[in-house]
Amino acid sequence: MRRVLVVPITITIAALCAACSGSAAPANGGDGAQELTVFAASSLTAAFTQIGKDFQTAHPGTTVTFNFGPSDGLASQIESEGTADVFASASGTWMDDVAAKTGVSDRVDFAENELIVITPNDNPANIGSIGDLANDGVALVLAAPGVPVGDYARQTLANAGVVQRAEANVVSNEEDDASVVAKIAGGEADAAIVYASDVTQAVAATVRSVTIPSAVNVVAIYPIAVVDGAAATSTARSFLRDVAQGPGQATLRTFGFLPPPP
Amino acid sequence: MSLHAEVRLEREGFTLDASLDAEAGATVALLGPNGSGKSTFVRALAGLEDADSARIELDGVDLSALPPQHRPIGVVFQDLRLFPRLSAVENAAFPLRAGGRSKGGARTRARELLATLGVPPGRMDARPAHLSGGEAQRVALARSLIGEPALLLLDEPSSSLDVRAREGLRPVIRSTLATFPGVRVLVTHDPVEAMTLADRLVVLEGGNITQAGTPAELRQDPRSPYVADLVGLNLYAGRLEPLEEGAGLLRTGDGTLVVAWPAGEPRTQFDGVTATLRPADVVLHTTRPEGGSARNLLHGPIAALSIEGERARVRIASAPPVVAEITLGSVARLGLHEGAPVWASCKAVELTLRLRT
Amino acid sequence: MVALAALGTAFVALPVVALLIRAPWAHAVAALSGQGAWTALRLSLQVSLAATFLSVLLGSPIAWVLARGRFRGRNVLRAVVILPIVLPPVVGGIALLAALGRSGVVGRWLHDALGIQLPFTTAGAVVAATFVSIPLFVIAAESGLRSLDPRLEDAASAAGASRRYVFRRITLPMLAPQLLAGAVLAWARALGEFGATITFAGNLAGRTQTLPLAVYQTRQTDPGAAVVISLLLVALSLVVLALLRDRLWTR
């Protein structure tokens, strides 16, 4: 019996050691293999994936790993597990949160985003303006409160004076903007409020957009920062520069984001 | 009331084609070696086996189209099949309850019947797992009788019991059969059980009936080696050829025997002749006997030796094979044991011939 | 052997024990009342019990046919019914949308002709939970049916019992432990269902936000509260397991 155990136990211990050493290995230092971990709001998924690829090409030997998700969830994760080097949030609120609980540096606003109403292609509930979202029987999907685009949506509805009736129409609080878009693209609900940048070329084929007048629209400001305790600080700052001033800006534009406030 | 049953079915390489007749008041025993199809036949009677063709007429009514629950039968299975979660009383009462009788009435009747069959009252509420072999058998019997069926089917009712229990059960089965008013079919491979309990025997071998008749008829005229063995005789079959004056030669597939020519028969060749020889008429020798009057001298090693009371049956692998019956004392005196080579002799007149015409 | 078992048990027990240790007991009450936890609990119970009931109702005939039927394609039927187990729950949710969503294959007809909509409703949550828990019940029930000894049923028939009586007094009592085990497994799976529910039925407090969904949402903003709500789920499961005691494992 004992002999049988030796092999599996050895393998287990070896695997554990490899796992431990893997995560403890410092990725700092100027040259050599670099690993950069970026936590970014899910609305940045397409744009940042491209920026990451370009960054890797420009800095050979560097690997950029992304964790996309709702900004509130990401903030939580950073605060409890602290494995991010860079945090790009869809709202200042969650950056403030991380700054307070973990600490950030080199914080800069790098993009803006506006909201837009989307409906399925056949527009079953005849939505023509944001006010129509308060109509009886409209099946409205929003991101959950706490998720930046969910809070922004409720704010713009408040600006339009229809937030209470619209809230009564909400049939689902999704975890992020991508899930909201999916519900509309699939034709399951009547309308939703998402970022303008969410309506990519591919998405545009499956949904109809209804613009929100700037008077009531909310402008989301996206900050990015290096998280305190990051391992690869110089690479992180390099990435930040890319995004906030360098070629990242052009990329963000192609993906529907607006330039940051001056 | 009478039963006439014809069953024909084919299973993977086995064909059963048999018919059986039974009268109320007489017990018919269905006998045969293992695998001959006895249980299959009885299951077909009960409706638990899909036959290719079956006619089961009980008192003129054809049961073959009816499912088991609508046939007026009571069955005791070889493996008993008592319901494990019901007590002995509940098991016995089951057919009445299934038929809609009240719980109280059914249980009372069940207790009466179990008592008649010899189950102690203190054991009646026990579950089958806690009953002895004999008690369980009695419960199974009660369950089969309580519905007052017209046809009682007992499939090897004692085979799962040890010898002592079996002997204890036999009087119970005998009296049950004796007092049962309907038709009774008993399946068994135990010759003693068959001979003592049955009024008529039906022998099933390899899916076919080889012989049917009373025990006496079978004893007098066994028609197959199995039946001969059953009734305790040696049986030989083959062609009879004339030898010299008063004698003939019986050529069997295994060897030849000299027989006395049957009186009044023409001296020509006869095919399909059978001859029986009582084992008690066979004499054994440890050395080759010289100069006796016995015309048959067989030689071979002892294949099997079984003791029955004060007698021993010695099966010899000679050509043809023969079974001899001698006293225990002789076994000891001659130093006989399995494998020992012996000589067996018998006289020509001791073989009883039967010519088929 | 005992040492290995202890190791394995520790592996399973550790996360739950850690949950107990890390729970912010100080403001547990606030956490429970503020996050709609009790609504989610009530909804979870309703949805999971309804899903279990449906799983037994729909799964029993399937198990019967799989165990007793003699037709070609039986293995295909079994594979189809068991599929939800291997399907990632979100994929299950997407598939349910394709079938029963507003523009789904059948859903379209339900919506246009009968005015029935499943997504975003509690009924939809029940459908999602049933979809993932049926296979567990069918597996247990089929196994139970197969292990039945037909000889006892034969004996009952020969003793004059109708098919219904045989089923009631002989078959069902022998099957009961397996059926109960299957129902409990189905219930447990329905209770913990997340991916298919959130994809097919959505997430709205009081209507479709079951406990797992509530935990997930709470965790985004208040991880401590999420732990407390998670413990609600754990407590619920322990209560049911305690009620069952040994019955799952003994005949």
Side-chain angles (χ1 to χ4, degrees):
Chain A
M1 188 62 184
R2 272 183 218 179
R3 224 175 291 156
V4 176
L5 292 181
V6 168
V7 174
I9 286 184
T10 313
I11 292 178
T12 311
I13 294 176
L16 285 170
C17 284
C20 297
S21 60
S23 57
N28 52 7
D31 297 281
Q34 294 284 343
E35 272 187 36
L36 191 66
T37 307
V38 177
F39 279 28
S42 64
S43 47
L44 293 165
T45 307
F48 266 41
T49 307
Q50 184 60 52
I51 291 175
K53 278 195 203 138
D54 297 338
F55 190 81
Q56 280 173 175
T57 317
H59 299 80
T62 311
T63 323
V64 186
T65 322
F66 289 103
N67 185 8
F68 294 112
S71 307
D72 51 346
L74 293 176
S76 248
Q77 257 185 289
I78 295 174
E79 285 149 24
S80 57
E81 288 150 50
T83 48
D85 298 316
V86 174
F87 180 38
S89 166
S91 77
T93 320
W94 294 109
M95 184 60 80
D96 293 339
D97 201 61
V98 173
K101 295 188 186 155
T102 307
V104 302
S105 66
D106 303 81
R107 174 176 174 168
V108 62
D109 294 334
F110 69 97
E112 280 185 358
N113 212 344
E114 283 191 330
L115 299 182
I116 198 166
V117 171
I118 53 170
T119 74
N121 262 329
D122 57 347
N123 198 358
N126 252 315
I127 305 293
S129 72
I130 188 170
D132 288 342
L133 297 180
N135 292 353
D136 274 340
V138 172
L140 179 64
V141 175
L142 299 178
V147 179
V149 70
D151 291 337
Y152 290 146
R154 285 167 172 85
Q155 209 188 311
T156 195
L157 286 168
N159 293 349
V162 295
V163 67
Q164 269 188 323
R165 276 162 40 217
E167 280 256 47
N169 278 339
V170 171
V171 290
S172 186
N173 287 307
E174 297 297 324
E175 64 209 48
D176 58 19
D177 54 338
S179 310
V180 175
V181 171
K183 283 278 184 312
I184 298 299
E188 296 308 326
D190 294 330
I193 298 180
V194 292
Y195 290 120
S197 64
D198 285 329
V199 186
T200 61
Q201 244 190 330
V203 170
T206 56
V207 304
R208 262 189 84 235
S209 309
V210 177
T211 38
I212 300 175
S214 352
V216 299
N217 207 338
V218 167
V219 173
I221 301 180
Y222 285 59
I224 188 171
V226 174
V227 179
D228 276 3
T233 28
S234 60
T235 320
R237 287 203 187 99
S238 189
F239 185 82
L240 242 70
R241 274 195 302 276
D242 228 32
V243 166
Q245 296 141 22
Q249 283 292 305
T251 315
L252 284 161
R253 217 66 64 236
T254 44
F255 281 95
F257 287 86
L258 301 170
Chain B
M1 188 178 351
S2 64
L3 168 74
H4 172 74
E6 287 169 28
V7 175
R8 202 203 127 74
L9 58 81
E10 265 181 58
R11 287 292 132 83
E12 316 145 2
F14 173 79
T15 310
L16 173 68
D17 191 353
S19 74
L20 182 149
D21 289 277
E23 298 284 327
T27 302
V28 171
L30 187 58
L31 279 175
N34 282 333
S36 54
K38 313 185 294 292
S39 286
T40 313
F41 186 83
V42 164
R43 277 205 303 277
L45 290 185
L48 297 172
E49 196 81 43
D50 279 327
D52 296 340
S53 82
R55 228 177 79 202
I56 302 166
E57 282 178 12
L58 187 64
D59 237 5
V61 178
D62 187 8
L63 300 179
S64 51
L66 296 176
Q69 55 266 33
H70 293 146
R71 300 190 190 194
I73 55 175
V75 183
V76 176
F77 292 91
Q78 187 171 4
D79 48 2
L80 294 193
R81 306 191 192 176
L82 293 179
F83 306 126
R85 283 163 188 264
L86 303 182
S87 70
V89 172
E90 289 165 339
N91 261 283
F94 185 87
L96 296 182
R97 295 281 289 135
R101 190 89 93 87
S102 73
K103 202 188 282 195
R107 296 244 179 119
T108 315
R109 178 80 194 100
R111 280 185 204 277
E112 280 171 16
L113 189 49
L114 286 172
T116 313
L117 292 174
V119 178
R123 313 290 300 136
M124 288 189 193
D125 292 299
R127 289 207 178 163
H130 303 298
L131 296 173
S132 72
E135 287 165 351
Q137 207 84 45
R138 287 166 168 78
V139 176
L141 204 51
R143 186 176 66 181
S144 71
L145 294 169
I146 203 167
E148 290 171 24
L151 172 59
L152 187 64
L153 302 168
L154 304 175
D155 189 354
E156 313 248 17
S158 327
S159 64
S160 58
L161 301 177
D162 61 60
V163 175
R164 261 247 300 256
R166 200 178 302 177
E167 281 168 19
L169 195 66
R170 196 162 296 139
V172 177
I173 297 185
R174 184 179 300 127
S175 70
T176 304
L177 292 175
T179 53
F180 183 74
V183 177
R184 304 135 14 196
V185 176
L186 168 75
V187 172
T188 182
H189 69 268
D190 181 349
V192 179
E193 197 169 65
M195 292 298 191
T196 52
L197 293 176
D199 304 300
R200 275 188 79 240
L201 301 171
V202 175
V203 182
L204 191 63
E205 290 179 66
N208 292 302
I209 308 274
T210 52
Q211 193 164 5
T214 64
E217 283 166 6
L218 260 64
R219 202 170 274 129
Q220 252 207 328
D221 185 10
R223 293 215 196 130
S224 75
Y226 174 79
V227 180
D229 207 31
L230 190 73
V231 299
L233 292 177
N234 286 297
L235 181 78
Y236 304 102
R239 180 194 307 163
L240 180 65
E241 295 167 357
L243 211 50
E244 80 272 347
E245 188 62 47
L249 191 70
L250 180 67
R251 278 189 198 283
T252 76
D254 304 314
T256 59
L257 291 167
V258 179
V259 299
W261 195 262
E265 293 295 337
R267 308 251 331 143
T268 67
Q269 198 173 287
F270 287 94
D271 284 312
V273 174
T274 59
T276 55
L277 172 66
R278 296 190 324 139
D281 292 336
V282 178
V283 182
L284 294 183
H285 318 259
T286 46
T287 56
R288 191 197 166 103
E290 302 288 336
S293 69
R295 297 297 303 273
N296 290 301
L297 198 58
L298 302 170
H299 176 67
I302 294 178
L305 202 149
S306 61
I307 314 291
E308 270 150 51
E310 293 299 318
R311 314 262 180 105
R313 286 176 75 84
V314 186
R315 185 183 296 274
I316 302 152
S318 48
V322 68
V323 177
E325 192 178 288
I326 58 179
T327 62
L328 260 187
S330 299
V331 173
R333 214 163 33 82
L334 296 174
L336 298 179
H337 58 87
E338 280 174 21
V342 286
W343 296 89
S345 67
C346 71
K347 294 151 65 175
V349 296
E350 281 163 335
L351 283 136
T352 312
L353 286 165
R354 218 157 220 97
L355 304 175
R356 292 274 163 269
T357 37
Chain C
M1 192 56 70
V2 175
L4 277 177
L7 205 64
T9 310
F11 175 69
V12 175
L14 186 60
V16 179
V17 171
L19 212 57
L20 283 165
I21 295 174
R22 288 285 291 260
W25 296 108
H27 53 272
V29 176
L32 285 177
S33 49
Q35 304 285 346
W38 296 114
T39 316
L41 173 64
R42 185 178 47 83
L43 196 63
S44 262
L45 278 172
Q46 286 172 346
V47 169
S48 61
L49 287 173
T52 308
F53 176 76
L54 281 177
S55 291
V56 172
L57 197 68
L58 295 174
S60 298
I62 297 176
W64 181 274
V65 164
L66 283 175
R68 301 279 173 105
R70 243 166 271 166
F71 57 93
R72 225 177 300 166
R74 203 162 46 136
N75 287 326
V76 175
L77 174 64
R78 187 183 295 117
V80 166
V81 173
I82 308 285
L83 193 60
I85 282 188
V86 290
L87 224 50
V90 172
V91 175
I94 294 176
L96 282 170
L97 280 176
L100 299 167
R102 207 153 69 160
S103 41
V105 172
V106 174
R108 180 180 319 188
W109 172 78
L110 283 173
H111 184 257
D112 297 339
L114 301 177
I116 295 178
Q117 175 170 316
L118 289 172
F120 309 128
T121 61
T122 310
V126 173
V127 166
T130 308
F131 182 75
V132 298
S133 53
I134 268 193
L136 289 167
F137 178 77
V138 169
I139 289 179
E142 187 193 344
S143 147
L145 280 167
R146 276 181 188 279
S147 70
L148 273 185
D149 194 351
R151 296 181 302 172
L152 281 177
E153 296 175 333
D154 279 353
S157 289
S162 67
R163 295 260 287 262
R164 200 180 293 172
Y165 194 80
V166 173
F167 185 76
R168 185 161 64 88
R169 285 229 72 192
I170 306 292
T171 315
L172 209 53
M174 290 200 296
L175 267 183
Q178 293 277 67
L179 291 183
L180 191 60
V184 169
L185 283 174
W187 175 81
R189 180 69 186 85
L191 194 65
E193 174 40 44
F194 175 87
T197 309
I198 200 172
T199 312
F200 179 66
N203 176 32
L204 195 67
R207 205 186 295 171
T208 51
Q209 187 177 71
T210 53
L211 264 176
L213 271 60
V215 169
Y216 184 78
Q217 185 170 316
T218 308
R219 187 172 173 271
Q220 312 286 53
T221 49
D222 189 350
V227 170
V228 176
I229 301 178
S230 302
L231 284 171
L232 258 184
L233 256 174
V234 172
L236 192 56
S237 318
L238 285 175
V239 165
V240 177
L241 284 176
L243 283 176
L244 278 177
R245 271 171 289 183
D246 271 346
R247 270 174 246 169
L248 263 180
W249 324 118
T250 55
R251 271 201 150 258

